[in-house]
């Protein structure tokens, strides 16, 4: 499904005109396609069908309640990394017993919350955390289901900020440590180790690192079972990359092909924690040009969608395709290789109003000529977009719309200035 497509020079999300959405809901605006989200969820289910996967959608990628509810009603489980995300899942009607709880710094309060809601398992990242879970569970008279997060020391060949499976990363335990922790767990009555967990990184565009990781896990599972642990789950994390530029993403079947055989050999049920691949290309960020400006040889498009709305370009130097919402020049030009010949395009820096030189969504990007009032779409913004937005410069965060066919639903209203100030203390009134 081509959720975002041009028809007679106008961008549509499914059957809804993006310009109409911008008029109705204002800008900056996140627009998500329900069909695209569900299509990828379905593709994952069938790619991994042989091992009856539990898909635990990674809430951190896009935690809007509307998106979570959609996932829950279509049978998805969840991967959460905080008490806040776990609370969201509950509010969206997600099943706790299909929810895994990860994160390197779970507090006692969060552990208690996880046990009270009845999460499927905690993904445990250190000996200190094991001790905390054991203590809290014992206090509550409970047995905590856990999976050790094992760091397989493979190079996922992705941006260093989102690589997690190498031994110098803060995540997980190396295999030797995991083995000695497992020996201690055998003697801890408030812990029950039912699985192992691995997540090697994000935006991974080659199946190969998974192949090496799976192999290490299969051997480990055999040893843990010999020790007496009832290992029934093999959680392979998320990380499947998407296409931001051209065709660098791989179909999920390619990842399944290298993961499924190992999981079958292990005799475990597979859990996966995909985030980006489900929502990334199912969302765009729409902004409106406020001014155009020239400085020396440089041309700037100053729009109302800024780094506080989408921080990925500033933080990771990441590329997002950008194109006018209404354009007689046809669909966007691919970075790798265009569908449209770039004649007549000029290089623009697409920037926002925030007072930082890092406030850009694109640099020297070939675009058709644009003027104040024109709308711009930033593509592949559905994952790690709104969830990483901030109120920097006292900018209210964007609204979010979930589109199903010709029906848009506002799933987050635009913040007001009062929303922003509400948490702050008026010192005068406090006296
Ligand atoms: N499971 C665990 C334990 C994770 O740490 C993550 C992502 C996922 C699953 C989901 O990974 P995905 O399928 O979405 O790749 N803000 C960065 C991405 C950070 C990813 C953190 N962990 C970005 O904008 O690229």
């Amino acid at each position: 499904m081509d959720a975002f497509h041009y028809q007679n020079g106008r961008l549509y999300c499914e059957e809804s005109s993006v310009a109409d959405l911008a008029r109705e809901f204002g800008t900056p605006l996140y627009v998500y396609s329900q069909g695209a989200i569900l299509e990828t969820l379905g593709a994952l289910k069938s790619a991994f069908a042989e091992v009856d996967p539990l898909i635990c959608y990674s809430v951190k990628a896009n935690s809007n309640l509307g998106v979570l509810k959609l996932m829950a009603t279509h049978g998805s489980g969840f991967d959460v990394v905080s008490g806040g995300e776990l609370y969201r899942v509950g509010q969206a009607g997600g099943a706790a017993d299909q929810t895994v709880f990860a994160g390197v710094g779970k507090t006692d309060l969060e552990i208690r919350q996880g046990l009270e809601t009845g999460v499927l398992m905690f993904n445990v990242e250190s000996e200190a955390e094991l001790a905390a879970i054991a203590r809290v569970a014992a206090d509550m008279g409970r047995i905590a289901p856990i999976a050790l997060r094992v760091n397989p020391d493979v190079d996922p060949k992705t941006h260093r900020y989102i690589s997690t499976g190498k031994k110098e990363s803060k995540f997980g335990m190396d295999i030797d440590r995991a083995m000695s922790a497992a020996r201690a767990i055998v003697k801890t009555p408030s812990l029950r180790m039912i699985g192992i967990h691995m997540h090697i990184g994000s935006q991974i565009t080659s199946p190969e690192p998974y192949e090496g990781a799976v192999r290490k896990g299969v051997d480990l599972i055999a040893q843990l079972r010999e020790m007496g642990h009832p290992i029934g789950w093999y959680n392979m994390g998320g990380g499947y990359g998407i296409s931001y530029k051209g065709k660098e993403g791989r179909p999920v079947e390619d990842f399944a092909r290298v993961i499924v055989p190992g999981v079958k050999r292990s005799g475990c049920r597979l859990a996966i924690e995909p985030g980006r691949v489900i929502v990334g290309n199912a969302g765009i960020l729409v902004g409106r040009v406020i001014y155009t400006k020239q400085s020396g040889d440089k041309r700037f498009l100053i729009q109302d969608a800024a780094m506080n709305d989408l921080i990925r370009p500033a933080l990771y130097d990441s590329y997002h395709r950008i194109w006018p919402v209404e354009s007689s020049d046809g669909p966007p030009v691919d970075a790798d290789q265009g569908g449209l010949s770039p004649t007549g395009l000029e290089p623009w820096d697409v920037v926002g109003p925030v007072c930082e030189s890092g406030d850009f969504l694109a640099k020297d990007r070939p675009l058709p000529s644009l003027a104040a009032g024109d709308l711009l779409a930033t593509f592949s913004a559905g994952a790690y977009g709104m969830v990483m937005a901030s109120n920097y410069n006292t900018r209210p965060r964007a609204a979010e719309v979930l589109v199903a066919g010709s029906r848009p639903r506002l799933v987050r209203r635009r913040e007001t200035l009062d929303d922003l100030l509400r948490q702050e203390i008026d010192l005068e009134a406090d006296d």
Side-chain angles (χ1 to χ4, degrees), residues 58 60 79 102 149 162 197 199 201-203 238-240 273-276 312 316 384 388:
S58 193
K60 66 177 84 67
D79 154 48
R149 177 164 179 180
I162 53 177
H197 175 233
H199 171 79
S202 194
Q203 185 54 17
Y240 316 131
E273 303 171 341
R276 187 189 320 260
R312 301 192 72 258
Y316 314 117
Y384 306 110
M388 294 173 78

Side-chain angles (χ1 to χ4, degrees), residues 298-302 347-351 360 362-365:
K298 276 237 167 244
R299 289 184 198 79
F300 296 95
L301 277 172
I302 303 169
W348 292 88
D349 278 14
V350 180
V351 303
F360 61 88
K363 292 220 160 159
D364 292 321
R365 186 64 62 81

